[in-house]
Amino acid sequence: MAQYAFGSGTLWGINSAANSTPVRFGALQNVSLDFSANSKTLFGQYQFPLSVARGAISVKGKASFAQLSGRAINELFFGATSAAGEIRAIEDEAGTVGSTPFQITVANSATWVTDLGVVKTSTGIPLTRVASAPATGQYSVAAGVYTFAAADTGIAMKVSYTYTVPTVGQTISIANQAMGLANTFKSVVSLPYNGQKALFTLNACVSSKLTLQTQLEDFTKPSFDFDAFVDSSNNLGTISLAEAG
């Protein structure tokens, strides 16, 4: 019986470190495996080649997926340090400049991290950040407390910033590692259809590209590129099909 495949299939990546938890690419949109060989042709005095020999073969994979996974990003690409806790961004939190000392304390000041700017609510014009003693149209900030000019008392502002949530999520710290270092992983692609499955396994892979692109009126679908090579036993992997040889 002939075998077919339909749909995006399923893709897993398994870090080569001992006892690594397999990572499934959620909401997989598509996956491709490209086996590309160089060929060398031998010519005599006539137009057509006398012989063709195959040279080096490169194996490249690419996947597009919609579910953002910290484990996939870290274990299969960056190989960085991951810690519990999430950094979130607040956009345009409403506040009104109080009387002396002319301040707005943001809701998440206790875990405030980075200032992302202030705009005047009535005009949408951004204020200019200064180190201290702000004049009208300026502000200063420290530990989530925003200070304004006395003339801005009672003026509505919109404040944007980042803050940490230590009890949920994870944060990946991307360090500048030495050239040549990259996480190695096994990739497994399953293509089911009509009760049959085709399974492609590449024993050793290194990711070459991670792309994150947003789009208006559509979901964000990161793409993940990788190259395959032989493992310590000089094996590339396996291709398993339901169709009999």
Side-chain angles (χ1 to χ4, degrees), residues 50-235:
L50 300 173
S51 186
V52 178
R54 177 184 290 175
I57 301 176
S58 63
V59 183
K60 296 182 178 294
K62 183 172 185 176
S64 176
F65 53 101
Q67 192 173 85
L68 301 178
S69 167
R71 176 171 288 157
I73 291 172
N74 188 33
E75 295 189 9
L76 305 184
F77 189 84
F78 286 109
T81 301
S82 177
E86 182 182 359
I87 301 174
R88 295 181 182 175
I90 292 291
E91 299 178 37
D92 298 333
E93 181 179 300
T96 301
V97 180
S99 55
T100 307
F102 323 116
Q103 294 177 336
I104 295 175
T105 300
V106 297
N108 300 285
S109 61
T111 56
W112 178 91
V113 178
T114 303
D115 170 46
L116 297 179
V118 178
V119 298
K120 190 174 181 179
T121 303
S122 61
T123 63
I125 296 175
L127 280 70
T128 301
R129 180 174 172 175
V130 295
S132 61
T136 301
Q138 299 178 335
Y139 72 97
S140 63
V141 59
V145 179
Y146 287 73
T147 302
F148 301 85
D152 290 328
T153 301
I155 299 297
M157 302 289 184
K158 292 182 178 179
V159 182
S160 299
Y161 60 95
T162 66
Y163 70 102
T164 59
V165 183
T167 56
V168 298
Q170 63 177 307
T171 297
I172 301 166
S173 298
I174 305 171
N176 192 12
Q177 302 186 65
M179 290 282 191
L181 293 179
N183 274 10
T184 303
F185 61 93
K186 176 184 290 187
S187 66
V188 180
V189 180
S190 176
L191 303 175
Y193 178 68
N194 200 25
Q196 299 175 324
K197 285 188 178 181
L199 196 70
F200 296 77
T201 302
L202 297 173
N203 295 342
C205 303
V206 167
S207 179
S208 56
K209 188 177 182 180
L210 176 65
T211 303
L212 181 68
Q213 179 176 323
T214 64
Q215 186 172 334
L216 186 65
E217 293 191 1
D218 201 357
F219 290 96
T220 298
K221 300 168 187 174
S223 62
F224 181 82
D225 296 38
F226 55 94
D227 297 283
F229 56 101
V230 296
D231 61 15
S232 57
S233 299
N234 203 32
N235 292 318

